[in-house]
Amino acid sequence: MATVTGVLLQSWPDEIAHRLSPAATPPDLSLSVLGVVVLAAALAALVDPLWRVLRLGVTLVHELGHAFVGMLVGRRFTGFVLRGDMSGHAVTVGPPRGIGRLVTTWAGYPMPGVVALGLVAAASQRYAAPLLTALLVGLLITVPRVRSLLTAIVVGLTTAALGCLWWWGTAAVQAQVLIGIALILLVGGWRHLGAVASATTAGSDPAVLRQLSGIPALAWNTTFALTLGACSWGVWTLLAP
């Protein structure tokens, strides 16, 4: 028993190192494989009961986009919540006005597109495993900042799913799943933007940006759309046969 335990302990560093390394060869992203991935992502977005669950992942990326950019500009990320109606709230502490507050507030709606482009770029260039590692570390860092039961469930399930993909998924499966996630994030990013553009409320990101800057909410929504459009074009460029 001791010998078996010793062998397992010695193999763990090698197993982890293997899962931190880029794939030896590029993943299979042939037209047939991408067709299956696109079909699965389309079904996820079009089947309403399934979408009601998956859209929480889009909201998670949105809120963590606020948090990540806020920390980049020197604000302190203290907590976040997700709600079942695809809304949420991330709290960053810092000056109530200024460029840091502006870019932190702006970052939410474009973030699903930015993350989608990053997922596709990494997956198509053999870096699915290192990217999964970074995502898992990032999610674990957010755990102490969870402020509701639903948020804890979403973060926990997302972390578990990505952890299983990281540990048991082959390089090809990792790349294909990450591309599928990227497509769902793109669809979700556009759907979320459509919802806020058609019914801007007082507490929405475009409304807050208007209050902070004096620039109309329509202009801010246009910047969101341009960023999502650029990310969509980038994804298409990377995946086009």
Side-chain angles (χ1 to χ4, degrees):
M1 179 64 70
T3 302
V4 173
T5 303
V7 171
L8 289 174
L9 289 175
Q10 290 176 3
S11 66
W12 268 68
D14 293 335
E15 292 289 341
I16 293 174
H18 172 69
R19 288 162 176 80
L20 294 174
S21 304
T25 58
D28 179 10
L29 297 179
S30 61
L31 186 58
S32 60
V33 170
L34 285 178
V36 173
V37 173
V38 170
L39 179 60
L43 288 174
L46 293 175
V47 177
D48 192 60
L50 183 57
W51 177 249
R52 288 180 181 274
V53 175
L54 293 177
R55 70 182 185 178
L56 289 168
V58 182
T59 304
L60 175 64
V61 173
H62 176 116
E63 298 305 331
L64 293 184
H66 288 307
F68 176 72
V69 172
M71 290 188 292
L72 284 181
V73 297
R75 299 178 68 84
R76 184 163 55 89
F77 174 38
T78 60
F80 72 111
V81 296
L82 308 177
R83 304 183 186 94
D85 61 354
M86 78 180 181
S87 66
H89 188 61
V91 178
T92 61
V93 177
R97 304 187 74 87
I99 188 65
R101 175 75 189 282
L102 275 174
V103 297
T104 299
T105 305
W106 181 86
Y109 280 99
M111 193 56 63
V114 173
V115 172
L117 181 58
L119 291 177
V120 172
S124 62
Q125 298 298 321
R126 304 185 295 113
Y127 290 94
L131 178 60
L132 278 169
T133 306
L135 292 175
L136 287 168
V137 171
L139 284 170
L140 290 173
I141 290 173
T142 70
V143 170
R145 296 167 174 86
V146 167
R147 295 294 181 267
S148 75
L149 177 60
L150 177 61
T151 310
I153 292 172
V154 173
V155 171
L157 291 177
T158 302
T159 303
L162 292 180
C164 290
L165 180 64
W166 178 72
W167 188 259
W168 286 293
T170 64
V173 169
Q174 288 177 348
Q176 292 157 15
V177 171
L178 288 181
I179 290 171
I181 293 172
L183 297 177
I184 291 171
L185 287 176
L186 273 181
V187 172
W190 283 110
R191 290 181 69 160
H192 281 207
L193 178 57
V196 76
S198 62
T200 299
T201 59
S204 68
D205 291 354
V208 173
L209 288 166
R210 178 183 59 77
Q211 295 165 9
L212 292 171
S213 67
I215 299 172
L218 176 61
W220 292 110
N221 285 331
T222 301
T223 66
F224 298 153
L226 290 173
T227 306
L228 282 173
C231 292
S232 300
W233 178 83
V235 168
W236 167 257
T237 301
L238 289 169
L239 296 181

